[in-house]
Amino acid sequence: MRLLSIIDEAYRVAWGDLVYIRDNIAEVLITSLVGPLLYLLAFGFGIGGSVSSDPDAYLAFIVPGIVALTTLSATFSTVAMKVLVQRLFYMSFDELLLCPVHISAIVLGKCATGIVRALLSCTLLIVVGHLISPEVSLQPLAILVVVMAALTFSLMGMLVGMFMEKSQHLNLFTSLVIIPMTFLCGTLFNVEALPSVASWVVYALPLTHVSELMRGIMLDTCIPMDSVAILAVYLAVFFAACWWMIKTNRC
Amino acid sequence: MCRDTENQFSAASGGCSDATIADVRGLVIRFGDFTAVDGLTFEVRRGEIFGFLGPNGAGKTTTMRAITTIQRPTSGTVLIDGHDASSDYIEARKRIGIAQQHISLDKDLTVRQNIRHRAILHKIPRSELDSRIDSAAHLLGLEDYMDRTVGSLSGGWKRRAAIVCAIVHEPELLLLDEPTAGLDTRSRHILWDLVRDLNARGTTIFLTTHYIEEAESLCDRVAIIDHGRMVAIGTVDELRDMIGGVAVDSNPDGRTETRYFRGMDDARAYASSLGDAYVSIRRTTLEDVFLELTGEGRGRFE
Ligand SMILES: Nc1ncnc2c1ncn2[C@@H]1O[C@H](COP(=O)(O)OP(=O)(O)O)[C@@H](O)[C@H]1O
Ligand SMILES: [Mg+2]
């Protein structure tokens, strides 16, 4: 019962952001798709074709990786920026805190933008990936992982958006944390190729496990359960932190 | 009415009566070492227009945010219709609407979308959404602006849109934080009429202002606030009577000196005793009351 009412309330919270997506669908599609498709072109065909000894195998390797990095790139900045702008410039974030809804519903509802964007772009990428690389299979389970990863990274975006006092700080965070993660977390090359200390650091980052999961599912190898567990821990920690920030008036 | 608000409420203590919509007791709010609200106790009575009058930085907004449940008190309690704003905040929020000091609309959306979002958040049934939105918009004469983006509206219209957002769920208590700040005289008068109209329809209004005139002409009762403390509370007439309802300004050696009298006769007698000095007799204003009771110099309200 309580879960249902929180989901209902989360939709109510998300309504404004979802209407924005509906009314600006062209902009949303372009901003969430151009990046991933360029990665596919540049790394899959460009670098893969000229450097790798087995271009097809590399393509099959990076398609799940690009889907994984898209769950980060389509969510984090959008959610962080939306929360930051609505909080500091529009001051409409306050209004959510004034409505008779649970804190959990506010946290989940604010992630809706990220999840919708990630679903739009990842679904398309999976289909394109399947068409250009026969080794990539279409698996409904992959969508579940997209949702879980998108929620995790949206929560991270929300947390950062609630924390930062200036949009410049957000840019700094993106350059120092998000961009390196995008490239290093097993998305475009195998983490084992990194020096051992670096690979341990990278192993601790959530995106690495999204890559592992995507690759396991899309290439029909095994599904790494430890990655599911690690991702779930990140999700829970980010969720709790967002909840706590609102509960204790820190945003 | 009395200056010592603690006494006032110990006399009428014991829970939240039916006549009280908001009951604030011993409210203290600190930001680090700084005390923004320093032990406020007052009530907002059902059906009235209650005003908080005080200079910038007095703690008006902070108090209002505590009433709306978004600012947690350092200590003290706020009851909204008997519901504790800290622990029972969902019930408290259902009864409140607020138009914040800084317009807090989503500028990416149209006016209608903003209002609709607020209505959806307050769980207004789907079948009633359109009629509720339209009638709230009609009350503030916003019909022609509904499909414009918020960013394209002028200040007065933005303010009205924010008020529509605040009343679409038909709250019992409407909070207006400096509703006319930055508006021209004409828009200000239009807004006063709208506030009176809403009040006549049964909504209790709690507004803050740093305009003396606004408090005097609009409010049934006024609390004068300074440095987070209550200076005085009562009807405008009661507040005037605290220092004397008639003011005599004289100008003996180039600077204005003001004295207050209970009756016109005393004031006239004093005025004629001053002889040649330039003298004017007028009604006491809430600014006089503020200055007398705080012992501050003029100009803090400018
Ligand atoms: N979040 C905050 N952190 C620190 N100080 C604050 C904060 N909010 C308000 N203040 C301070 O509290 C005092 C009262 O502010 P406020 O309630 O906005 O006054 P008013 O609305 O009467 O102008 C001011 O001095 C303001 O600087
Ligand atoms: Mg204020």
Side-chain angles (χ1 to χ4, degrees):
Chain A
M1 262 330 280
R2 192 180 159 93
L3 184 68
L4 280 185
S5 90
I6 285 176
I7 290 171
D8 168 65
E9 286 175 358
Y11 169 73
R12 294 173 188 275
V13 170
W15 188 85
D17 296 343
L18 295 179
V19 163
Y20 180 84
I21 292 182
R22 185 198 67 194
D23 292 353
N24 298 276
I25 188 71
E27 178 226 301
V28 170
L29 283 176
I30 290 169
T31 53
S32 29
L33 286 175
V34 169
L37 289 176
L38 279 176
Y39 282 129
L40 205 55
L41 201 68
F43 290 96
F45 295 102
I47 295 181
S50 58
V51 175
S52 176
S53 53
D54 185 354
D56 286 342
Y58 184 64
L59 198 58
F61 176 85
I62 66 150
V63 168
I66 291 172
V67 174
L69 78 81
T70 303
T71 64
L72 175 63
S73 66
T75 56
F76 174 84
S77 326
T78 310
V79 174
M81 200 43 133
K82 249 200 150 53
V83 170
L84 186 118
V85 167
Q86 292 180 349
R87 191 171 64 93
L88 298 180
F89 304 123
Y90 297 173
M91 286 175 264
S92 58
F93 194 76
D94 258 6
E95 297 300 330
L96 294 175
L97 308 181
L98 275 169
C99 290
V101 296
H102 293 90
I103 294 174
S104 314
I106 297 176
V107 176
L108 289 178
K110 271 293 147 198
C111 293
T113 302
I115 294 172
V116 170
R117 277 176 176 262
L119 276 175
L120 286 174
S121 13
C122 291
T123 311
L124 194 95
L125 276 172
I126 291 171
V127 172
V128 171
H130 175 70
L131 294 178
I132 59 177
S133 169
E135 281 174 67
V136 172
S137 63
L138 294 173
Q139 296 280 358
L141 202 55
I143 298 298
L144 206 66
V145 176
V146 168
V147 172
M148 186 177 172
L151 179 57
T152 307
F153 296 131
S154 298
L155 286 168
M156 182 164 95
M158 183 171 184
L159 193 60
V160 171
M162 287 197 293
F163 199 76
M164 301 279 166
E165 288 307 323
K166 283 200 180 118
S167 53
Q168 289 92 316
H169 296 168
L170 179 59
N171 292 337
L172 205 61
F173 186 89
T174 305
S175 308
L176 292 177
V177 179
I178 302 300
I179 308 256
M181 241 167 77
T182 308
F183 286 100
L184 299 180
C185 288
T187 48
L188 303 173
F189 60 86
N190 202 322
V191 178
E192 280 150 27
L194 288 170
S196 67
V197 181
S199 77
W200 275 105
V201 173
V202 165
Y203 188 77
L205 297 172
L207 184 58
T208 310
H209 301 282
V210 181
S211 305
E212 304 263 308
L213 272 169
M214 278 300 170
R215 213 157 271 140
I217 291 168
M218 293 174 70
L219 304 181
D220 281 328
T221 53
C222 66
I223 298 176
M225 291 316 282
D226 54 339
S227 290
V228 177
I230 292 172
L231 203 57
V233 168
Y234 269 105
L235 195 157
V237 168
F238 289 148
F239 183 90
C242 289
W243 191 93
W244 180 81
M245 289 277 287
I246 295 177
K247 180 72 185 173
T248 56
N249 241 209
R250 266 160 230 267
C251 53
Chain B
M1 184 236 16
C2 60
R3 284 173 74 177
D4 184 355
T5 52
E6 288 299 331
N7 285 343
Q8 182 190 1
F9 285 97
S10 50
S13 69
C16 209
S17 75
D18 278 352
T20 306
I21 178 89
D23 190 4
V24 177
R25 279 161 194 261
L27 184 69
V28 176
I29 295 168
R30 290 202 189 93
F31 299 108
D33 291 340
F34 179 74
T35 305
V37 177
D38 195 2
L40 286 183
T41 297
F42 62 94
E43 55 176 6
V44 182
R45 299 177 189 157
R46 230 175 267 278
E48 72 176 345
I49 301 183
F50 179 71
F52 247 27
L53 173 67
N56 282 326
K60 304 183 295 295
T61 297
T62 309
T63 305
M64 216 171 227
R65 286 170 64 85
I67 292 180
T68 63
T69 78
I70 33 181
Q71 175 66 55
R72 284 162 73 86
T74 308
S75 66
T77 56
V78 175
L79 297 182
I80 305 299
D81 204 14
H83 301 278
D84 190 300
S86 310
S87 55
D88 199 4
Y89 57 87
I90 294 199
E91 284 305 313
R93 286 175 193 173
K94 286 181 187 164
R95 291 161 173 79
I96 301 173
I98 179 174
Q100 312 231 36
Q101 178 168 4
H102 301 284
I103 301 284
S104 52
L105 302 169
D106 190 329
K107 287 167 196 62
D108 291 334
L109 303 179
T110 64
V111 173
R112 187 188 300 282
Q113 287 168 341
N114 268 286
I115 301 170
R116 196 178 187 86
H117 192 200
R118 211 65 67 81
I120 288 174
L121 279 162
H122 280 277
K123 303 184 182 169
I124 290 168
R126 205 170 244 283
S127 57
E128 288 175 36
L129 270 178
D130 288 319
S131 64
R132 288 271 204 110
I133 293 167
D134 288 340
S135 68
H138 178 72
L139 268 182
L140 280 105
L142 205 66
E143 293 98 329
D144 296 340
Y145 296 83
M146 293 294 275
D147 295 311
R148 289 175 51 172
T149 56
V150 171
S152 71
L153 301 187
S154 68
W157 288 105
K158 269 187 202 150
R159 185 67 67 181
R160 289 198 214 186
I163 295 177
V164 174
C165 284
I167 61 171
V168 71
H169 62 292
E170 299 178 357
E172 289 169 60
L173 174 62
L174 175 62
L175 305 167
L176 301 170
D177 195 0
E178 310 246 358
T180 63
L183 298 190
D184 57 53
T185 319
R186 198 172 147 267
S187 308
R188 182 170 301 166
H189 282 276
I190 293 173
L191 221 102
W192 288 356
D193 287 339
L194 292 169
V195 171
R196 289 191 189 100
D197 188 36
L198 283 170
N199 181 245
R201 288 163 192 270
T203 309
T204 308
I205 314 272
F206 174 13
L207 62 87
T208 71
T209 183
H210 66 270
Y211 297 119
I212 309 283
E213 266 190 284
E214 185 157 287
E216 288 181 347
S217 78
L218 204 52
C219 297
D220 298 319
R221 287 195 313 136
V222 175
I224 299 180
I225 307 295
D226 193 28
H227 299 301
R229 298 206 187 92
M230 184 156 310
V231 176
I233 183 169
T235 64
V236 175
D237 285 337
E238 284 170 337
L239 292 172
R240 285 192 182 117
D241 286 345
M242 287 177 74
I243 60 166
V246 186
V248 179
D249 296 324
S250 60
N251 218 345
D253 42 13
R255 76 203 151 76
T256 306
E257 215 176 86
T258 309
R259 290 186 58 180
Y260 304 97
F261 298 89
R262 303 240 159 247
M264 206 52 166
D265 293 343
D266 292 346
R268 287 221 180 86
Y270 168 71
S272 55
S273 78
L274 290 174
D276 287 345
Y278 175 72
V279 174
S280 73
I281 302 183
R282 59 179 174 83
R283 249 187 128 182
T284 303
T285 67
L286 289 185
E287 182 170 20
D288 297 314
V289 177
F290 177 85
L291 298 172
E292 275 296 295
L293 298 183
T294 58
E296 300 264 355
R298 287 201 179 265
R300 285 200 53 207
F301 278 98
E302 258 83 82

